[in-house]
């Protein structure tokens, strides 16, 4: 099977599985994404190793709901519960990809310190919106977000509830030279969907973009944004009418982690680096991996 053009820039989708597993269904959007782009998928379950460090402090207690009393931390029990949680996560993940064609792997990380070593420069890191607000402040979640912004070539931000699984791909661009347009075009080709480009009024798509779209068989529609800010209210209103399945934006336009989920409105968002940077870093990563194997 011929690889999609986007698979030449990226190799893996890495998804951090939630501890509570309450939003594992939302993670299916990341599985879908990896499958139709023909990318490898790595699911990482991150345990909380700091619980064991807390057990070294005699004054630390935990409130046991059933016993209705404070007790010292029970390290053996905590170990068993973490192992059980990882086992359940692995089982549910295996079930979710049983009928898929995606090449997938499952990894258990013993703590957040292992996250940076897990990620490669050519990875797309999928961050799933927590099902409970408390999960968003855990070290497992915040460390994954921080590592993604520091290491990954692209970040896929997935809402708790995905509005739709089909529809056009939308590029939210600050100019017609924006990296998001080329990436969105290649995704649209792989997904066999239309491409919608939201760009400043009066800006014309470069001839090479139009030629590539014709070569790939992708229909392109351009909408005018009232402001350069891709997350201004006008583009978002336009996109709600367009019923797109995925939005693509350049990383430099993403206003940091605090607004990651409030801007989604049920539509996953892919934040990408410059295409040339992503290609170079992905190639460098693959070369270094090949050298390591040798």
């Amino acid at each position: 099977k011929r690889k999609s053009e986007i698979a030449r820039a990226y190799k893996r989708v890495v998804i951090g599985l939630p501890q509570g597993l309450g939003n594992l269904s939302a993670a299916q959007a990341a599985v879908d994404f990896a499958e139709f782009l023909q990318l490898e998928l790595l699911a990482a379950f991150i345990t909380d190793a700091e619980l064991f460090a807390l057990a070294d402090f005699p004054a630390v207690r935990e409130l046991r709901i059933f016993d209705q009393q404070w007790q010292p931390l029970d390290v053996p029990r905590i170990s068993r519960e973490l192992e059980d949680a990882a086992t359940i996560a692995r089982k549910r993940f295996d079930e979710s990809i049983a009928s898929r064609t995606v090449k997938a792997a499952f990894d258990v990380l013993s703590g957040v310190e292992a996250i940076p070593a897990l990620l490669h420069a050519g990875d797309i890191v999928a961050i799933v919106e927590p099902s409970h607000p408390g999960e968003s402040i855990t070290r497992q979640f915040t460390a994954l977000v921080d590592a993604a912004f520091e290491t990954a070539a692209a970040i896929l931000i997935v809402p708790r509830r995905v509005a739709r699984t089909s529809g056009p791909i939308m590029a939210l661009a600050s100019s017609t030279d924006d990296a998001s347009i080329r990436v969105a075009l290649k995704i649209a080709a792989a997904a066999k969907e239309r491409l919608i480009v939201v760009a400043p009024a009066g800006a014309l798509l470069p001839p090479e973009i139009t030629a590539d779209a014709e070569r790939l068989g992708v229909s392109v529609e351009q909408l005018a944004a009232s402001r350069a800010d891709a997350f201004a209210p006008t583009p978002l209103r336009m996109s709600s009418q367009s019923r797109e399945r995925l939005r693509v934006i350049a990383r430099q336009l993403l206003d940091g982690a605090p607004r990651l989920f409030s801007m989604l409105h049920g539509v996953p968002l892919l934040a990408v680096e410059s295409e040339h940077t992503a290609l170079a870093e992905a190639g460098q990563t693959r070369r270094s991996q090949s050298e390591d194997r040798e």
Side-chain angles (χ1 to χ4, degrees):
K1 187 177 180 180
R2 184 181 177 183
K3 275 195 171 184
S4 66
E5 291 205 9
I6 200 72
R8 300 174 188 174
Y10 306 104
K11 184 179 180 182
R12 297 192 307 178
V13 174
V14 179
I15 178 171
L17 294 179
Q19 289 279 341
L21 299 178
N23 55 356
L24 191 57
S25 59
Q28 290 303 302
V31 178
D32 293 340
F33 184 83
E35 185 174 42
F36 77 73
L37 292 183
Q38 303 166 37
L39 302 176
E40 296 176 16
L41 177 66
L42 173 61
F45 185 82
I46 308 165
T47 62
D48 190 356
E50 285 200 341
L51 288 174
F52 300 109
L54 288 175
D56 293 333
F57 294 89
V60 174
R61 296 289 187 272
E62 64 173 330
L63 177 62
R64 301 302 305 275
I65 300 300
F66 294 110
D67 299 333
Q68 295 186 349
Q69 61 182 351
W70 291 94
Q71 296 182 358
L73 291 180
D74 185 342
V75 174
R77 179 185 55 78
I78 292 174
S79 298
R80 290 193 301 271
E81 289 178 352
L82 290 176
E83 290 175 1
D84 290 344
T87 299
I88 293 172
R90 184 190 297 271
K91 180 181 178 182
R92 292 186 180 179
F93 176 73
D94 289 344
E95 290 173 349
S96 70
I97 63 170
S99 60
R100 306 297 192 111
T101 59
V102 63
K103 181 180 179 181
F106 184 94
D107 199 357
V108 178
L109 303 186
S110 59
V112 298
E113 296 79 9
I115 295 175
L118 177 74
L119 303 181
H120 300 151
D123 286 340
I124 298 175
V125 178
I127 300 174
V128 179
E129 182 179 10
S131 58
H132 188 279
E135 292 179 38
S136 63
I137 61 174
T138 62
R139 285 201 71 217
Q140 295 98 311
F141 182 80
T142 58
L144 177 65
V145 173
D146 291 343
F149 274 91
E150 292 173 4
T151 308
I155 303 171
L156 179 65
I157 307 160
V158 183
R160 186 183 303 123
R161 293 182 179 84
V162 177
R164 62 193 70 89
T165 57
S166 63
I169 308 300
M170 175 173 283
L172 296 168
S174 60
S175 72
T176 52
D177 292 327
D178 200 300
S180 63
I181 299 176
R182 286 195 176 278
V183 175
L185 173 59
K186 293 178 179 181
I187 293 175
K192 297 180 172 55
E193 299 280 9
R194 293 186 299 121
L195 171 65
I196 299 176
V197 178
V198 179
L204 298 178
L205 288 175
E208 56 268 26
I209 292 289
T210 305
D212 282 348
E214 185 174 350
R215 174 178 60 84
L216 295 170
V218 175
S219 174
V220 180
E221 176 185 359
Q222 186 171 345
L223 300 178
S226 60
R227 285 182 266 174
D229 180 3
F231 289 118
T234 299
L236 285 177
R237 283 200 296 270
M238 286 180 178
S239 64
S240 66
Q241 298 169 2
S242 303
R243 299 188 62 79
E244 70 279 8
R245 67 186 288 182
L246 175 72
R247 300 182 188 126
V248 184
I249 186 174
R251 282 268 292 271
Q252 62 266 29
L253 296 181
L254 193 60
D255 186 23
R259 296 179 58 209
L260 280 183
F261 303 111
S262 63
M263 63 182 71
L264 297 182
H265 304 286
V267 180
L269 176 72
L270 179 66
V272 299
E273 291 278 14
S274 163
E275 185 181 29
H276 296 299
T277 302
L279 282 166
E281 290 180 340
Q284 184 179 12
T285 299
R286 284 193 283 271
R287 284 194 298 273
S288 64
Q289 289 173 338
S290 176
E291 290 169 358
D292 289 343
R293 286 194 295 270
E294 294 173 357

